[in-house]
């Protein structure tokens, strides 16, 4: 009886390990790779976006590696939540209009760029307090009926500016509003998922 239980335990453990490995190893298609100094040590760090094309949702994985003094790289953070899957509801499901476009490093800031059906949005992360924290969100969009909107949210200061204007022949004047919305603590990259709040 003990032997059967032991064999069953080994089989289940092996299956779980194999499943974990296969899930992890499916992110093998490299979509984007960029280098730049993210932690101000004058070494070019590495950011890689890979995709699991076997999964029907085709999720992306974002991995950040800090450069080490002798040419090697150390994994600092890896997440599959920060970029929406290519097919959030599966290839035959509803398409929400969001699609990953690019990732860049500008002045030490990591920027994740996405396209909308009518517009685009960006999330900006800076390495501080031993984490990559969300410090900025911007969006440009159209309602498809002659109105264009823009949002610029500086999470560091809490200042969120929204503007709206007509791009057709209407004589309506542009509108602009500014609010202070303090988000504390700042969202960390490893926990971040876009548009889980109304603000970013």
């Amino acid at each position: 009886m003990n032997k059967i239980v032991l064999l069953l335990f080994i089989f289940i453990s092996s299956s779980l390990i194999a499943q974990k490995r296969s899930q992890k190893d499916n992110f093998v298609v490299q979509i984007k790779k960029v280098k730049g100094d993210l932690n101000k040590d004058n070494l070019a760090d590495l950011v890689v976006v890979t995709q699991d094309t076997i999964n029907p949702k085709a999720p992306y994985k974002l991995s950040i590696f800090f450069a080490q003094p002798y040419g090697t790289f150390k994994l600092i953070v890896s997440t599959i939540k920060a970029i929406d899957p290519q097919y959030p509801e599966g290839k035959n499901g509803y398409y929400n209009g969001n699609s990953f476009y690019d990732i860049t490093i500008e002045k030490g800031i990591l920027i994740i760029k996405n396209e909308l059906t009518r517009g685009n949005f960006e999330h900006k992360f800076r390495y501080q307090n031993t984490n990559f924290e969300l410090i900025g969100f911007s969006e440009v969009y159209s309602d498809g009926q002659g109105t264009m909107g823009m949002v610029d949210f500086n999470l560091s200061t809490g200042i969120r500016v929204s503007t709206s204007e007509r791009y057709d022949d209407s004589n309506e004047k542009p509108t602009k509003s500014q609010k202070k919305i303090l988000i504390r603590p700042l969202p960390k990259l490893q926990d971040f998922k876009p548009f889980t709040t109304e603000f970013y």
Side-chain angles (χ1 to χ4, degrees), residues 96-152:
N96 63 10
N98 298 354
S99 60
F100 172 67
Y101 171 64
D102 199 7
I103 194 160
T104 61
I105 298 172
E106 300 172 21
K107 296 181 180 178
I109 307 295
L110 176 66
I111 306 174
I112 302 173
K113 302 181 179 186
N114 291 269
E115 290 184 334
L116 296 165
T117 303
R118 298 185 186 92
N120 60 77
F121 62 91
E122 298 180 351
H123 290 96
K124 301 178 181 181
F125 293 86
R126 179 166 56 212
Y127 186 71
Q128 55 191 29
N129 305 316
T130 69
N131 278 290
F132 281 92
E133 296 182 333
L134 181 66
I135 60 161
F137 166 73
S138 61
E139 181 179 17
V140 178
Y141 61 91
S142 165
D143 64 0
Q145 298 176 0
T147 300
M148 183 174 74
M150 288 172 280
V151 174
D152 185 21

Side-chain angles (χ1 to χ4, degrees), residues 6 14 17 30-31 33 40 50-51 53 71 77 87 104 107 113 124 126 128 145 152 175 187 190:
L6 182 62
S14 301
I17 290 168
Q30 184 175 293
I31 303 299
K33 179 169 76 171
K40 299 178 182 176
T50 52
Q51 187 175 30
T53 55
V77 63
Y87 308 106
T104 61
K107 296 181 180 178
K113 302 181 179 186
K124 301 178 181 181
R126 179 166 56 212
Q128 55 191 29
Q145 298 176 0
D152 185 21
T175 63
Q190 61 266 31

